[in-house]
């Protein structure tokens, strides 16, 4: 699906995708797929520099832009840093704006890896793809001022949704 709808991501600065969508005057709908508290596994423990089985805030959302599903976003944060965040309504709002308003935390840097992978069954279902279709997978760690890992995230999107720029 390449209908000309895309978001430009500057690789040298952190910006909210919700804000970028709104700035382009696109119709946005965020659908919360899951929100709650989980225990960290080995992989997430390594990414967030926490002990195995540490409680994590977890949020998974589907972004629908101009009536078409574009991406699935998953975020993980050490629960002790954001207690109660799972009670917030993340439908049609900027996650980072809610995070800032409720906790005062502001992301100031991310390290990201951009991959092209085959969509799994869940991604095919939510993004309306066929098995074997490729997706863009962005895996990253976000940091706040103290320099420690604050958030681990994964964004799976249809290939045409993101364009990347480095200045």
């Amino acid at each position: 699906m390449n209908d000309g709808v895309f978001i430009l991501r500057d690789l040298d600065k952190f910006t909210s995708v919700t804000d970028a969508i709104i700035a382009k005057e696109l119709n946005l709908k965020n659908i919360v797929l899951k929100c709650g508290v989980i225990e960290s596994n080995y992989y997430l423990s390594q990414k967030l520099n926490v002990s195995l089985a540490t409680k994590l805030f977890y949020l998974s959302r589907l972004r629908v832009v101009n009536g078409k599903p574009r991406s699935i976003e998953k975020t993980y944060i050490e629960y002790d840093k954001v207690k109660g965040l799972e009670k917030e309504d993340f439908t049609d709002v900027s996650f980072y704006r809610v995070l800032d308003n409720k906790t005062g935390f502001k992301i100031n840097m991310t390290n990201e890896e951009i991959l092209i992978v085959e969509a799994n069954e869940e991604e095919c279902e939510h993004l309306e793809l066929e098995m074997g279709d490729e997706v863009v997978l962005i895996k990253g760690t976000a940091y706040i001022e103290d320099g420690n890992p604050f958030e681990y995230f994964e964004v799976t999107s249809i290939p045409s949704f993101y364009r990347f720029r480095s200045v």
Side-chain angles (χ1 to χ4, degrees), residues 72 118-129 135 156:
I72 300 168
E118 190 173 301
N120 65 31
E121 190 174 327
E122 176 191 14
E123 294 160 349
C124 287
E125 176 187 339
H126 290 302
L127 298 174
E128 300 176 358
L129 300 171
V135 291
T156 305

Side-chain angles (χ1 to χ4, degrees), residues 15-161:
T15 57
S16 161
V17 173
T18 298
D19 291 345
I21 292 169
I22 291 169
K24 286 187 81 168
E25 299 181 357
L26 299 170
N27 182 354
L28 170 65
K29 181 169 181 64
N30 288 321
I31 299 168
V32 175
L33 301 174
K34 293 179 186 170
C35 184
V37 180
I38 63 171
E39 288 187 352
S40 65
N41 57 26
Y42 179 79
Y43 182 77
L44 293 171
S45 294
Q46 295 296 309
K47 293 297 181 181
L48 290 169
N49 197 26
V50 297
S51 300
L52 193 60
T54 296
K55 287 186 178 183
L56 302 178
F57 166 77
Y58 170 67
L59 174 65
S60 175
R61 298 193 302 178
L62 174 68
R63 282 193 191 274
V64 178
V65 181
N66 284 3
K68 301 208 184 285
R70 308 292 173 155
S71 67
I72 300 168
E73 300 177 1
K74 298 177 181 181
T75 189
Y76 306 85
I77 300 173
E78 186 178 357
Y79 184 67
D80 283 346
K81 295 178 179 177
V82 294
K83 282 185 179 173
L85 200 59
E86 74 281 4
K87 297 174 185 157
E88 296 298 319
D89 181 7
F90 291 100
T91 306
D92 301 331
V93 296
S94 166
F95 169 74
Y96 293 110
R97 189 169 298 122
V98 173
L99 183 67
D100 180 24
N101 289 341
K102 297 295 177 184
T103 67
F105 287 115
K106 290 182 170 77
I107 303 299
N108 67 351
M109 184 184 88
T110 62
N111 286 333
E112 300 180 20
E113 181 179 9
I114 303 167
L115 307 163
I116 302 294
V117 299
E118 190 173 301
N120 65 31
E121 190 174 327
E122 176 191 14
E123 294 160 349
C124 287
E125 176 187 339
H126 290 302
L127 298 174
E128 300 176 358
L129 300 171
E130 300 293 325
M131 287 304 291
D133 284 353
E134 293 180 335
V135 291
V136 173
L137 173 60
I138 305 166
K139 301 187 327 181
T141 305
Y143 300 85
I144 54 176
E145 285 101 21
D146 68 4
N148 291 315
F150 178 77
E151 172 197 19
Y152 174 73
F153 59 89
E154 293 182 352
V155 178
T156 305
S157 73
I158 60 169
S160 62
F161 186 56

Side-chain angles (χ1 to χ4, degrees), residues 9-12 164-167:
R9 291 197 55 196
D10 284 313
L11 296 176
D12 57 339
F164 302 93
R165 174 175 62 187
S166 178
V167 178

